């Protein structure tokens, strides 16, 4: 029974951590000045906050099938969340939504300058 | 486990969702709106998980799995749309 109460306390702590990370992301979303800073603020809890909540579920449910499903869920989130963040940042850079003077280091511009010229209209897009 | 923990978690997730909603409504560019809607979806997944812990069931797990594995499609489509429109 003492194990149960310890696991209950840990579950509460992990749930509170997940909720706190969500609130931190929300405050960052509200207060940060431009799109790429807001992206920075919101992509952390997309993985870590969800991982805390999933850990709380695993501590509470302690069954092999549930834990396997939770591992799958976390892996899916870890695969897909960086993809969407990368695509949004890339679209913002190429679309000019991210102001160039707000970047201290712009390695992508050097890479684009170093790359050979090519015709980037996709076939079939006309 | 006492109820105030769940009350605090619920209030925090509610605040996070409302802030994301504010950014979706006010966001100056479409990318801000997509970032905020991504975060709103993550908050919804967290809320489903917290509700499962509170009520002690696992029925919401498939919904969480599907949301986590398809949430990126919307952002990718909008990002493609934004770069396509500014290229031409």
């Amino acid at each position: 029974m003492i194990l149960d109460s310890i696991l209950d306390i840990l579950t509460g702590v992990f749930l509170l951590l997940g909720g706190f990370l969500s609130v931190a992301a929300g405050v960052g979303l509200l207060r940060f000045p431009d799109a790429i800073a807001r992206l920075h603020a919101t992509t952390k809890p997309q993985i870590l906050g969800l991982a805390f909540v999933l850990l709380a579920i695993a501590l509470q449910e302690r069954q092999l099938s549930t834990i396997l499903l939770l591992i799958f869920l976390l892996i899916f989130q870890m695969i897909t969340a960086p993809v969407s963040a990368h695509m949004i940042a890339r679209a913002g850079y190429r679309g000019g939504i991210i102001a160039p003077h707000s970047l201290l280091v712009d390695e992508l511009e050097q890479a684009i300058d170093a790359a050979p010229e090519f015709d980037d209209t996709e076939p079939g897009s006309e | 486990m006492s109820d105030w923990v769940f009350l605090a978690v619920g209030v925090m997730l509610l605040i996070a969702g409302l802030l994301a909603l504010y950014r979706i409504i006010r966001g100056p560019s479409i990318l801000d709106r997509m970032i905020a809607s991504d975060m709103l979806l993550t908050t919804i997944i967290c809320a489903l998980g917290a509700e499962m812990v509170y009520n002690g069931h696992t029925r919401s797990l498939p919904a969480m799995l599907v949301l986590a594995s398809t949430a990126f499609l919307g952002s990718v489509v909008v990002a493609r749309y934004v770069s396509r429109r500014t290229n031409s």
Side-chain angles (χ1 to χ4, degrees):
Chain A
M1 290 309 104
I2 199 125
L3 180 70
D4 273 356
S5 53
I6 289 175
L7 286 181
D8 272 359
I9 291 172
L10 277 178
T11 305
V13 168
F14 283 135
L15 274 182
L16 284 173
L17 278 174
F20 171 74
L21 275 171
S22 293
V23 172
V27 172
L29 202 58
L30 184 69
R31 300 282 301 168
F32 279 177
D34 59 351
I36 206 155
R38 289 178 192 135
L39 191 62
H40 156 77
T42 60
T43 42
K44 269 78 185 169
Q46 276 189 354
I47 306 280
L48 191 59
L50 190 67
F52 280 139
V53 173
L54 296 186
L55 210 54
I57 298 170
L59 285 179
Q60 205 64 19
E61 298 292 337
R62 298 195 293 280
Q63 287 170 354
L64 185 62
S65 58
T66 306
I67 291 175
L68 279 178
L69 210 54
L70 292 177
I71 291 173
F72 264 115
L73 216 162
L74 190 60
I75 287 176
F76 275 137
Q77 184 76 4
M78 287 171 90
I79 291 173
T80 59
V83 172
S84 71
H86 170 79
M87 288 299 287
I88 286 175
R90 181 172 172 272
Y93 187 88
R94 291 167 72 100
I97 292 172
I98 295 166
H101 62 80
S102 70
L103 302 173
L104 284 180
V105 179
D106 193 354
E107 290 179 335
L108 184 55
E109 188 182 23
Q110 299 167 9
I112 289 175
D113 286 343
E117 287 289 322
F118 70 100
D119 185 21
D120 66 346
T121 55
E122 294 174 26
S125 67
E126 265 81 23
Chain B
M1 198 172 352
S2 54
D3 274 348
W4 67 266
V5 171
F6 289 107
L7 186 67
V9 171
V11 166
M12 285 197 284
L13 289 177
L14 177 71
I15 290 173
L18 286 179
L19 290 175
L21 201 60
Y22 173 83
R23 188 49 75 191
I24 290 176
I25 295 170
R26 284 292 305 277
S29 70
I30 190 169
L31 292 180
D32 293 303
R33 296 195 167 96
M34 275 327 287
I35 294 166
S37 76
D38 256 3
M39 193 205 128
L40 184 60
L41 205 55
T42 312
T43 309
I44 289 171
I45 298 175
C46 287
L48 282 175
E51 187 267 338
M52 280 199 312
V53 175
Y54 180 64
N55 287 329
H57 64 86
T58 56
R59 292 191 292 274
S60 307
L61 268 180
M64 289 173 72
L65 195 64
V66 171
L67 277 179
S69 52
T70 59
F72 77 111
L73 289 175
S75 331
V76 171
V77 167
V78 170
R80 293 294 295 174
Y81 168 72
V82 169
S83 22
R84 179 72 53 86
R85 192 182 54 177
T86 47
N87 274 346
S88 60

